[in-house]
PDB file of all heavy atoms in Angstrom:
ATOM      1  N   ALA O 628      -2.618  -0.107  11.567  1.00 96.00           N
ATOM      2  CA  ALA O 628      -2.404   1.325  11.760  1.00 96.00           C
ATOM      3  C   ALA O 628      -2.468   2.022  10.411  1.00 96.00           C
ATOM      4  O   ALA O 628      -1.543   1.922   9.618  1.00 96.00           O
ATOM      5  CB  ALA O 628      -1.069   1.579  12.440  1.00 96.00           C
ATOM      6  N   ILE O 629      -3.567   2.705  10.147  1.00 96.00           N
ATOM      7  CA  ILE O 629      -3.685   3.441   8.882  1.00 96.00           C
ATOM      8  C   ILE O 629      -2.644   4.550   8.846  1.00 96.00           C
ATOM      9  O   ILE O 629      -2.073   4.845   7.815  1.00 96.00           O
ATOM     10  CB  ILE O 629      -5.122   3.979   8.712  1.00 96.00           C
ATOM     11  CG1 ILE O 629      -6.054   2.772   8.475  1.00 96.00           C
ATOM     12  CG2 ILE O 629      -5.211   4.987   7.568  1.00 96.00           C
ATOM     13  CD1 ILE O 629      -7.504   3.117   8.263  1.00 96.00           C
ATOM     14  N   ASN O 630      -2.381   5.137   9.997  1.00 96.00           N
ATOM     15  CA  ASN O 630      -1.262   6.066  10.130  1.00 96.00           C
ATOM     16  C   ASN O 630      -0.639   5.844  11.508  1.00 96.00           C
ATOM     17  O   ASN O 630      -1.212   6.228  12.530  1.00 96.00           O
ATOM     18  CB  ASN O 630      -1.745   7.508   9.966  1.00 96.00           C
ATOM     19  CG  ASN O 630      -0.592   8.495  10.053  1.00 96.00           C
ATOM     20  OD1 ASN O 630       0.430   8.229  10.681  1.00 96.00           O
ATOM     21  ND2 ASN O 630      -0.765   9.643   9.422  1.00 96.00           N
ATOM     22  N   PRO O 631       0.536   5.224  11.560  1.00 97.00           N
ATOM     23  CA  PRO O 631       1.122   4.865  12.853  1.00 97.00           C
ATOM     24  C   PRO O 631       1.377   6.071  13.756  1.00 97.00           C
ATOM     25  O   PRO O 631       1.293   5.953  14.985  1.00 97.00           O
ATOM     26  CB  PRO O 631       2.446   4.169  12.495  1.00 97.00           C
ATOM     27  CG  PRO O 631       2.654   4.394  11.046  1.00 97.00           C
ATOM     28  CD  PRO O 631       1.336   4.742  10.427  1.00 97.00           C
ATOM     29  N   LEU O 632       1.647   7.237  13.161  1.00 96.00           N
ATOM     30  CA  LEU O 632       1.860   8.419  13.997  1.00 96.00           C
ATOM     31  C   LEU O 632       0.604   8.776  14.768  1.00 96.00           C
ATOM     32  O   LEU O 632       0.649   9.134  15.946  1.00 96.00           O
ATOM     33  CB  LEU O 632       2.209   9.625  13.121  1.00 96.00           C
ATOM     34  CG  LEU O 632       3.649   9.824  12.723  1.00 96.00           C
ATOM     35  CD1 LEU O 632       3.762  11.103  11.917  1.00 96.00           C
ATOM     36  CD2 LEU O 632       4.540   9.888  13.952  1.00 96.00           C
ATOM     37  N   LEU O 633      -0.519   8.686  14.076  1.00 95.00           N
ATOM     38  CA  LEU O 633      -1.778   9.018  14.738  1.00 95.00           C
ATOM     39  C   LEU O 633      -2.094   7.998  15.817  1.00 95.00           C
ATOM     40  O   LEU O 633      -2.579   8.348  16.895  1.00 95.00           O
ATOM     41  CB  LEU O 633      -2.935   9.061  13.733  1.00 95.00           C
ATOM     42  CG  LEU O 633      -2.872  10.125  12.640  1.00 95.00           C
ATOM     43  CD1 LEU O 633      -4.162  10.127  11.839  1.00 95.00           C
ATOM     44  CD2 LEU O 633      -2.632  11.486  13.236  1.00 95.00           C
ATOM     45  N   VAL O 634      -1.820   6.736  15.528  1.00 96.00           N
ATOM     46  CA  VAL O 634      -2.097   5.696  16.518  1.00 96.00           C
ATOM     47  C   VAL O 634      -1.231   5.922  17.752  1.00 96.00           C
ATOM     48  O   VAL O 634      -1.724   5.928  18.884  1.00 96.00           O
ATOM     49  CB  VAL O 634      -1.866   4.293  15.926  1.00 96.00           C
ATOM     50  CG1 VAL O 634      -2.007   3.227  17.010  1.00 96.00           C
ATOM     51  CG2 VAL O 634      -2.846   4.034  14.791  1.00 96.00           C
ATOM     52  N   GLU O 635       0.051   6.150  17.531  1.00 97.00           N
ATOM     53  CA  GLU O 635       0.933   6.403  18.683  1.00 97.00           C
ATOM     54  C   GLU O 635       0.439   7.599  19.489  1.00 97.00           C
ATOM     55  O   GLU O 635       0.420   7.582  20.713  1.00 97.00           O
ATOM     56  CB  GLU O 635       2.359   6.710  18.209  1.00 97.00           C
ATOM     57  CG  GLU O 635       3.153   5.485  17.840  1.00 97.00           C
ATOM     58  CD  GLU O 635       4.439   5.875  17.117  1.00 97.00           C
ATOM     59  OE1 GLU O 635       4.931   7.023  17.307  1.00 97.00           O
ATOM     60  OE2 GLU O 635       4.930   5.047  16.345  1.00 97.00           O
ATOM     61  N   GLY O 636       0.032   8.632  18.773  1.00 97.00           N
ATOM     62  CA  GLY O 636      -0.464   9.833  19.452  1.00 97.00           C
ATOM     63  C   GLY O 636      -1.668   9.521  20.318  1.00 97.00           C
ATOM     64  O   GLY O 636      -1.776   9.999  21.444  1.00 97.00           O
ATOM     65  N   GLN O 637      -2.572   8.708  19.804  1.00 97.00           N
ATOM     66  CA  GLN O 637      -3.752   8.342  20.579  1.00 97.00           C
ATOM     67  C   GLN O 637      -3.362   7.498  21.790  1.00 97.00           C
ATOM     68  O   GLN O 637      -3.909   7.662  22.879  1.00 97.00           O
ATOM     69  CB  GLN O 637      -4.757   7.568  19.713  1.00 97.00           C
ATOM     70  CG  GLN O 637      -5.508   8.441  18.717  1.00 97.00           C
ATOM     71  CD  GLN O 637      -6.229   9.582  19.382  1.00 97.00           C
ATOM     72  OE1 GLN O 637      -7.018   9.386  20.285  1.00 97.00           O
ATOM     73  NE2 GLN O 637      -5.933  10.795  18.961  1.00 97.00           N
ATOM     74  N   VAL O 638      -2.426   6.594  21.585  1.00 98.00           N
ATOM     75  CA  VAL O 638      -2.017   5.718  22.686  1.00 98.00           C
ATOM     76  C   VAL O 638      -1.314   6.544  23.772  1.00 98.00           C
ATOM     77  O   VAL O 638      -1.630   6.431  24.965  1.00 98.00           O
ATOM     78  CB  VAL O 638      -1.103   4.581  22.170  1.00 98.00           C
ATOM     79  CG1 VAL O 638      -0.561   3.755  23.333  1.00 98.00           C
ATOM     80  CG2 VAL O 638      -1.857   3.701  21.175  1.00 98.00           C
ATOM     81  N   GLU O 639      -0.403   7.397  23.356  1.00 98.00           N
ATOM     82  CA  GLU O 639       0.328   8.212  24.338  1.00 98.00           C
ATOM     83  C   GLU O 639      -0.627   9.121  25.103  1.00 98.00           C
ATOM     84  O   GLU O 639      -0.517   9.290  26.319  1.00 98.00           O
ATOM     85  CB  GLU O 639       1.406   9.043  23.626  1.00 98.00           C
ATOM     86  CG  GLU O 639       2.559   8.185  23.108  1.00 98.00           C
ATOM     87  CD  GLU O 639       3.352   8.851  21.981  1.00 98.00           C
ATOM     88  OE1 GLU O 639       3.046  10.000  21.622  1.00 98.00           O
ATOM     89  OE2 GLU O 639       4.271   8.192  21.449  1.00 98.00           O
ATOM     90  N   GLY O 640      -1.572   9.705  24.372  1.00 98.00           N
ATOM     91  CA  GLY O 640      -2.547  10.580  25.025  1.00 98.00           C
ATOM     92  C   GLY O 640      -3.423   9.808  25.995  1.00 98.00           C
ATOM     93  O   GLY O 640      -3.790  10.306  27.062  1.00 98.00           O
ATOM     94  N   SER O 641      -3.751   8.577  25.638  1.00 98.00           N
ATOM     95  CA  SER O 641      -4.564   7.752  26.529  1.00 98.00           C
ATOM     96  C   SER O 641      -3.787   7.395  27.792  1.00 98.00           C
ATOM     97  O   SER O 641      -4.346   7.401  28.898  1.00 98.00           O
ATOM     98  CB  SER O 641      -4.977   6.452  25.832  1.00 98.00           C
ATOM     99  OG  SER O 641      -5.850   6.715  24.762  1.00 98.00           O
ATOM    100  N   VAL O 642      -2.531   7.066  27.621  1.00 98.00           N
ATOM    101  CA  VAL O 642      -1.713   6.734  28.796  1.00 98.00           C
ATOM    102  C   VAL O 642      -1.639   7.939  29.720  1.00 98.00           C
ATOM    103  O   VAL O 642      -1.801   7.834  30.938  1.00 98.00           O
ATOM    104  CB  VAL O 642      -0.291   6.294  28.362  1.00 98.00           C
ATOM    105  CG1 VAL O 642       0.639   6.199  29.570  1.00 98.00           C
ATOM    106  CG2 VAL O 642      -0.353   4.964  27.620  1.00 98.00           C
ATOM    107  N   TYR O 643      -1.452   9.106  29.114  1.00 98.00           N
ATOM    108  CA  TYR O 643      -1.407  10.348  29.900  1.00 98.00           C
ATOM    109  C   TYR O 643      -2.685  10.501  30.731  1.00 98.00           C
ATOM    110  O   TYR O 643      -2.649  10.742  31.932  1.00 98.00           O
ATOM    111  CB  TYR O 643      -1.245  11.535  28.953  1.00 98.00           C
ATOM    112  CG  TYR O 643      -1.507  12.879  29.586  1.00 98.00           C
ATOM    113  CD1 TYR O 643      -0.516  13.529  30.313  1.00 98.00           C
ATOM    114  CD2 TYR O 643      -2.741  13.505  29.466  1.00 98.00           C
ATOM    115  CE1 TYR O 643      -0.750  14.758  30.906  1.00 98.00           C
ATOM    116  CE2 TYR O 643      -2.992  14.735  30.052  1.00 98.00           C
ATOM    117  CZ  TYR O 643      -1.991  15.354  30.768  1.00 98.00           C
ATOM    118  OH  TYR O 643      -2.242  16.573  31.362  1.00 98.00           O
ATOM    119  N   MET O 644      -3.807  10.365  30.043  1.00 98.00           N
ATOM    120  CA  MET O 644      -5.070  10.584  30.736  1.00 98.00           C
ATOM    121  C   MET O 644      -5.295   9.502  31.792  1.00 98.00           C
ATOM    122  O   MET O 644      -5.821   9.764  32.874  1.00 98.00           O
ATOM    123  CB  MET O 644      -6.199  10.614  29.723  1.00 98.00           C
ATOM    124  CG  MET O 644      -7.346  11.469  30.168  1.00 98.00           C
ATOM    125  SD  MET O 644      -8.431  11.951  28.803  1.00 98.00           S
ATOM    126  CE  MET O 644      -7.882  13.616  28.512  1.00 98.00           C
ATOM    127  N   GLY O 645      -4.878   8.278  31.478  1.00 98.00           N
ATOM    128  CA  GLY O 645      -4.999   7.180  32.436  1.00 98.00           C
ATOM    129  C   GLY O 645      -4.155   7.446  33.675  1.00 98.00           C
ATOM    130  O   GLY O 645      -4.586   7.196  34.808  1.00 98.00           O
ATOM    131  N   LEU O 646      -2.967   7.986  33.475  1.00 98.00           N
ATOM    132  CA  LEU O 646      -2.119   8.297  34.624  1.00 98.00           C
ATOM    133  C   LEU O 646      -2.723   9.427  35.446  1.00 98.00           C
ATOM    134  O   LEU O 646      -2.688   9.407  36.683  1.00 98.00           O
ATOM    135  CB  LEU O 646      -0.708   8.687  34.161  1.00 98.00           C
ATOM    136  CG  LEU O 646       0.167   7.545  33.661  1.00 98.00           C
ATOM    137  CD1 LEU O 646       1.467   8.095  33.063  1.00 98.00           C
ATOM    138  CD2 LEU O 646       0.495   6.550  34.777  1.00 98.00           C
ATOM    139  N   GLY O 647      -3.284  10.411  34.757  1.00 98.00           N
ATOM    140  CA  GLY O 647      -3.951  11.501  35.473  1.00 98.00           C
ATOM    141  C   GLY O 647      -5.050  10.957  36.367  1.00 98.00           C
ATOM    142  O   GLY O 647      -5.157  11.311  37.541  1.00 98.00           O
ATOM    143  N   GLU O 648      -5.874  10.066  35.816  1.00 98.00           N
ATOM    144  CA  GLU O 648      -6.973   9.490  36.592  1.00 98.00           C
ATOM    145  C   GLU O 648      -6.440   8.621  37.719  1.00 98.00           C
ATOM    146  O   GLU O 648      -6.986   8.585  38.814  1.00 98.00           O
ATOM    147  CB  GLU O 648      -7.882   8.650  35.683  1.00 98.00           C
ATOM    148  CG  GLU O 648      -8.585   9.498  34.641  1.00 98.00           C
ATOM    149  CD  GLU O 648      -9.685   8.759  33.882  1.00 98.00           C
ATOM    150  OE1 GLU O 648     -10.080   7.651  34.288  1.00 98.00           O
ATOM    151  OE2 GLU O 648     -10.149   9.307  32.879  1.00 98.00           O
ATOM    152  N   ALA O 649      -5.379   7.890  37.429  1.00 98.00           N
ATOM    153  CA  ALA O 649      -4.846   6.969  38.424  1.00 98.00           C
ATOM    154  C   ALA O 649      -4.236   7.714  39.606  1.00 98.00           C
ATOM    155  O   ALA O 649      -4.319   7.254  40.737  1.00 98.00           O
ATOM    156  CB  ALA O 649      -3.791   6.065  37.788  1.00 98.00           C
ATOM    157  N   LEU O 650      -3.635   8.847  39.344  1.00 98.00           N
ATOM    158  CA  LEU O 650      -2.824   9.476  40.381  1.00 98.00           C
ATOM    159  C   LEU O 650      -3.366  10.779  40.960  1.00 98.00           C
ATOM    160  O   LEU O 650      -3.112  11.098  42.113  1.00 98.00           O
ATOM    161  CB  LEU O 650      -1.413   9.742  39.838  1.00 98.00           C
ATOM    162  CG  LEU O 650      -0.628   8.489  39.452  1.00 98.00           C
ATOM    163  CD1 LEU O 650       0.622   8.866  38.668  1.00 98.00           C
ATOM    164  CD2 LEU O 650      -0.250   7.693  40.693  1.00 98.00           C
ATOM    165  N   MET O 651      -4.089  11.555  40.181  1.00 98.00           N
ATOM    166  CA  MET O 651      -4.447  12.869  40.731  1.00 98.00           C
ATOM    167  C   MET O 651      -5.796  13.451  40.349  1.00 98.00           C
ATOM    168  O   MET O 651      -6.337  14.254  41.092  1.00 98.00           O
ATOM    169  CB  MET O 651      -3.339  13.876  40.421  1.00 98.00           C
ATOM    170  CG  MET O 651      -2.956  13.986  38.966  1.00 98.00           C
ATOM    171  SD  MET O 651      -1.604  15.171  38.706  1.00 98.00           S
ATOM    172  CE  MET O 651      -0.162  14.130  38.846  1.00 98.00           C
ATOM    173  N   GLU O 652      -6.343  13.101  39.219  1.00 98.00           N
ATOM    174  CA  GLU O 652      -7.560  13.806  38.811  1.00 98.00           C
ATOM    175  C   GLU O 652      -8.770  13.310  39.591  1.00 98.00           C
ATOM    176  O   GLU O 652      -9.009  12.114  39.668  1.00 98.00           O
ATOM    177  CB  GLU O 652      -7.801  13.595  37.313  1.00 98.00           C
ATOM    178  CG  GLU O 652      -6.731  14.240  36.458  1.00 98.00           C
ATOM    179  CD  GLU O 652      -6.998  14.116  34.976  1.00 98.00           C
ATOM    180  OE1 GLU O 652      -8.181  14.153  34.575  1.00 98.00           O
ATOM    181  OE2 GLU O 652      -6.028  13.961  34.220  1.00 98.00           O
ATOM    182  N   GLU O 653      -9.523  14.233  40.145  1.00 97.00           N
ATOM    183  CA  GLU O 653     -10.775  13.829  40.776  1.00 97.00           C
ATOM    184  C   GLU O 653     -11.747  14.992  40.838  1.00 97.00           C
ATOM    185  O   GLU O 653     -11.381  16.116  41.103  1.00 97.00           O
ATOM    186  CB  GLU O 653     -10.576  13.201  42.157  1.00 97.00           C
ATOM    187  CG  GLU O 653      -9.739  13.973  43.130  1.00 97.00           C
ATOM    188  CD  GLU O 653      -9.521  13.220  44.436  1.00 97.00           C
ATOM    189  OE1 GLU O 653     -10.427  12.514  44.906  1.00 97.00           O
ATOM    190  OE2 GLU O 653      -8.421  13.350  45.000  1.00 97.00           O
ATOM    191  N   GLN O 654     -12.984  14.659  40.544  1.00 96.00           N
ATOM    192  CA  GLN O 654     -14.064  15.652  40.555  1.00 96.00           C
ATOM    193  C   GLN O 654     -14.769  15.459  41.895  1.00 96.00           C
ATOM    194  O   GLN O 654     -15.569  14.546  42.042  1.00 96.00           O
ATOM    195  CB  GLN O 654     -14.988  15.346  39.367  1.00 96.00           C
ATOM    196  CG  GLN O 654     -16.238  16.161  39.261  1.00 96.00           C
ATOM    197  CD  GLN O 654     -16.193  17.181  38.130  1.00 96.00           C
ATOM    198  OE1 GLN O 654     -15.134  17.658  37.764  1.00 96.00           O
ATOM    199  NE2 GLN O 654     -17.332  17.528  37.589  1.00 96.00           N
TER     200      GLN O 654
END
Side-chain angles (χ1 to χ4, degrees):
Chain O
I629 291 181
N630 182 334
L632 275 182
L633 296 186
V634 174
E635 281 168 24
Q637 286 304 305
V638 174
E639 290 158 2
S641 293
V642 169
Y643 166 83
M644 209 161 259
L646 286 173
E648 295 190 12
L650 297 168
M651 54 182 90
E652 294 184 35
E653 51 184 324
Q654 174 108 331

